[in-house]
Amino acid sequence: MKLIFERSVPGRSTTIFPECDVPETTLPESFLRAEKPDLPEVSETDLSRHYQELSKQVYGVCDGFYPLGSCTMKYNPSVNEEAAALPGFAGLHPLQPVETAQGALRVLRLSEQYLCELTGMDEMTFEPAAGAHGEFTGLLLIKKYHELRGDAARTKILVPDSAHGTNPASATMAGFEVVNIPSAPDGGVDLTALAEAAGPDTAGLMLTNPNTLGIFDRNILEITRIVHEAGGLCYYDGANLNAVVGNARPGDMGFDVVHLNMHKTFSTPHGGGGPGAGAVGAKGDMAKYLPGEHVVEKADGTLAFEKKEQSIGRIRSYYGNFLVQVKALAYILMLGGDGLRDASQNAVLNANYLRVLLAPYCKVAAEGICMHEFVLDLAEIKERTGISAMDIAKSMLDHGMHAPTMYFPLIVHEALMFEPTETESKETLDEAAAIIIELLKMADTDPEALHSAPCHTPISRPDEVKAARTPVLTWKRA
Ligand SMILES: *Cc1c(COP(=O)(O)O)cnc(C)c1O
């Protein structure tokens, strides 16, 4: 399709300004540009057709089934958007006096109270802009804790081999050395390997529970005990909280610091529909080091920001992606405690239902009941037929579904990770399963058709790395 700049015709315009109702002034010369900006000049019809066409090139949660594992692509209720669009929130300026923004501070305060209740933490910050940013923040808290105790020997972070790639990346960015902990045959952490690795150089452990195989680690209390006994701290990657929210709390599992992904568990849009937000919670002493400004309630009931003396400092401008927090709070209030608990139980039920439908046709990476997601292992199918996880994922696109997460976790070589979420109906799961089963059978009967998919998408199989290696980020008029 054409770029909007290519549709531009000099002098064509859409803008009809209202009459000016304030005195006109001129900007100082130093603020004026030498040349007019090169903006596209199009009619309103061209403009709306352009964006309509663009919107048809993408696939979102409102288009159909979107089982992208670990990303929790649940439906994002429209009421969240309405709350965030209220003029009192959307029109706020971050520098306006707090007396005039009490409602916004109340949103942060309430969010903190509910999220602490749900996670078993004592305090929260809303500065981090995403999960990975929250990980980095949490690790700085752990670093600060050891520094303030004068313990410089703790330079290592233990990370299981099933972890999301952001975990070792964040640990490295925070200046730690990463120690890889192998998984046990059941998909959980290998306790012997953990006990051997934990010691006086351990700053902490990063873990997501349930993990990326969708397995709830039954040894979680033993795991956090081993790390604490070695003098380390436990960091909970909360990206998979959708499996347990309202049912189990990381704080009760022994974790000291957690991040939450508002754009996963708490139904705010992801990726192109984002931005996201990654609140970080901390327990006990760790809460003293949280970044930025914390909302406190004064004796007269008004709210104010307070800087923490021992804070690690700012990790983002102002108060994070505030409107995302408004959406998350709208979701929490709409569902309530029982609703949140039901949502995660239904997420687990849906994942198990789909797993049981697919299991006769493909190996599942971890045996037994899963939590919110499960991983198919196509290694045997690939060996026998040449059909890879990629071929099945690409073929799903032709059937109006989004692909599952591919080739993750890294410990499963031909991985397809499915997370249906609670917002899919039984009918949708039945339809999806029937199609996926058909595709898995085609591995034997018609592998060529799978190799050439997708045929019905705007583009077929783009180069996997070209956009990252040779990005083209600007456009110049010829
Ligand atoms: C999504 C995810 C992250 C990172 O979160 P972002 O918000 O994408 O930065 C970390 N860990 C796991 C397990 C995840 O699924």
Side-chain angles (χ1 to χ4, degrees), residues 266-283:
F266 298 101
S267 85
T268 76
H270 286 45
V280 167
K283 214 157 72 170

Side-chain angles (χ1 to χ4, degrees), residues 427-444:
E427 290 73 22
T428 302
L429 297 177
D430 285 336
E431 266 172 45
I435 292 166
I436 297 162
I437 290 166
E438 199 51 47
L439 296 173
L440 289 168
K441 287 182 180 166
M442 276 169 70
D444 286 301

Side-chain angles (χ1 to χ4, degrees), residues 343-360:
S344 69
Q345 289 182 2
N346 283 325
V348 172
L349 179 63
N350 276 358
N352 278 288
Y353 182 68
L354 188 61
R355 176 182 63 80
V356 168
L357 291 180
L358 299 182

Side-chain angles (χ1 to χ4, degrees), residues 216-229:
F216 188 91
D217 204 314
R218 288 163 192 270
N219 298 320
I220 190 62
L221 293 175
E222 180 64 7
I223 290 168
T224 52
R225 191 192 60 78
I226 290 172
V227 175
H228 284 150
E229 241 164 51

Side-chain angles (χ1 to χ4, degrees), residues 42-183:
V42 292
S43 71
E44 184 165 334
T45 317
D46 290 341
L47 185 70
S48 80
R49 285 189 185 150
H50 175 74
Y51 283 108
Q52 184 71 13
E53 198 180 338
L54 259 187
S55 77
K56 289 180 191 162
Q57 312 278 315
V58 299
Y59 185 93
V61 179
C62 290
D63 291 301
F65 192 46
Y66 205 133
L68 191 71
S70 212
C71 293
T72 312
M73 303 303 290
K74 60 170 82 177
Y75 169 68
N76 306 140
S78 303
V79 68
N80 299 354
E81 299 299 323
E82 278 177 39
L86 290 172
F89 292 137
L92 272 179
H93 192 284
L95 292 178
Q96 78 185 60
V98 286
E99 308 81 69
T100 65
Q102 287 290 303
L105 271 71
R106 183 64 64 189
V107 165
L108 294 177
R109 173 96 175 139
L110 273 180
S111 296
E112 179 179 28
Q113 287 170 334
Y114 288 131
L115 294 175
C116 283
E117 176 68 30
L118 289 169
T119 54
M121 294 292 122
D122 292 331
E123 288 183 32
M124 288 262 160
T125 175
F126 296 100
E127 267 194 27
H133 199 193
E135 292 169 23
F136 178 68
T137 306
L139 289 165
L140 292 185
L141 300 182
I142 291 177
K143 197 171 197 184
K144 181 106 184 179
Y145 169 83
H146 293 306
E147 263 171 25
L148 288 180
R149 293 185 311 111
D151 186 346
R154 296 189 180 271
T155 54
K156 294 184 177 163
I157 293 285
L158 313 179
V159 181
D161 59 7
S162 61
H164 194 261
T166 49
N167 290 186
S170 304
T172 306
M173 276 185 72
F176 291 108
E177 198 184 313
V178 174
V179 180
N180 200 28
I181 306 294
S183 298

Side-chain angles (χ1 to χ4, degrees), residues 191-206:
L191 287 182
T192 318
L194 177 69
E196 269 167 25
D201 59 356
T202 302
L205 163 86
M206 292 181 93

